[in-house]
Amino acid sequence: MGTLTFHTDIMIYFTSIKRSLGNTFYGWWIVVASFFMFLICGGIAFYGFTTFFNPIAEEFGWSAAQISFSFSLRSIEFGIMAPLVGFLMDKVGVRKIIIFGMAVSGLGFLLMSRTNSLLFFYGAFLMLSIVTSCGLGMGQYVNEYRLATGLYLS
């Protein structure tokens, strides 16, 4: 019962915020959602990953080079996925690509928690990287694209 009350309180809070902001363009809400998505995914999967670096090395007995190779794979994935995601955003729409990226990210987090081998670790880390590639078009919902991109990536 407490969860239902908490959920209701949050919905009332966001409704009051929306009323107070008036007719804010919908695209800016996408930018706000993008900011929080990158805050969570970027903070946990990429920037906060160094916190888990030593515990992962101790738990599995992997070398620093083996663990660091996942970051190299992420860079390769960005280079390969960027043109593909741009093409797909034009063909199927930004919203579908974003939803796909978030679903793959969730699966990546689940798989990362079940890692038991180095190849499995690499695969899960690549899945987490896909969300960043798929989310880079979120600022296209607003006319001030450069401002929006700077806001949600900051």
Side-chain angles (χ1 to χ4, degrees):
M1 204 57 147
T3 305
L4 182 60
T5 305
F6 177 71
H7 176 68
T8 306
D9 291 343
I10 288 176
M11 294 308 294
I12 291 170
Y13 177 72
F14 282 121
T15 303
S16 67
I17 288 174
K18 188 173 181 180
R19 283 187 192 142
S20 67
L21 292 175
N23 291 332
T24 304
F25 178 62
Y26 182 73
W28 288 110
W29 291 109
I30 301 296
V31 172
V32 170
S34 303
F35 171 78
F36 284 108
M37 182 192 82
F38 280 110
L39 181 71
I40 292 168
C41 291
I44 293 172
F46 302 114
Y47 304 113
F49 186 74
T50 55
T51 305
F52 303 108
F53 196 91
N54 288 334
I56 288 173
E58 291 171 8
E59 176 74 24
F60 297 107
W62 299 334
S63 69
Q66 289 173 319
I67 298 171
S68 298
F69 183 65
S70 62
F71 289 97
S72 299
L73 288 175
R74 181 184 69 181
S75 298
I76 292 168
E77 184 270 335
F78 285 160
I80 293 171
M81 287 292 289
L84 178 63
V85 168
F87 173 76
L88 289 174
M89 283 183 179
D90 291 338
K91 291 295 179 186
V92 298
V94 177
R95 182 175 296 185
K96 290 179 183 175
I97 297 298
I98 293 169
I99 291 170
F100 171 77
M102 291 306 295
V104 171
S105 173
L107 184 61
F109 278 121
L110 285 172
L111 292 176
M112 187 67 80
S113 71
R114 302 290 179 217
T115 296
N116 56 11
S117 72
L118 192 58
L119 288 176
F120 197 85
F121 175 75
Y122 290 155
F125 203 82
L126 280 175
M127 291 183 88
L128 288 174
S129 301
I130 289 175
V131 71
T132 307
S133 297
C134 291
L136 291 179
M138 291 185 183
Q140 293 179 2
Y141 280 103
V142 295
N143 291 334
E144 297 88 3
Y145 178 70
R146 283 183 228 136
L147 173 64
T149 303
L151 287 174
Y152 77 78
L153 288 178
S154 64

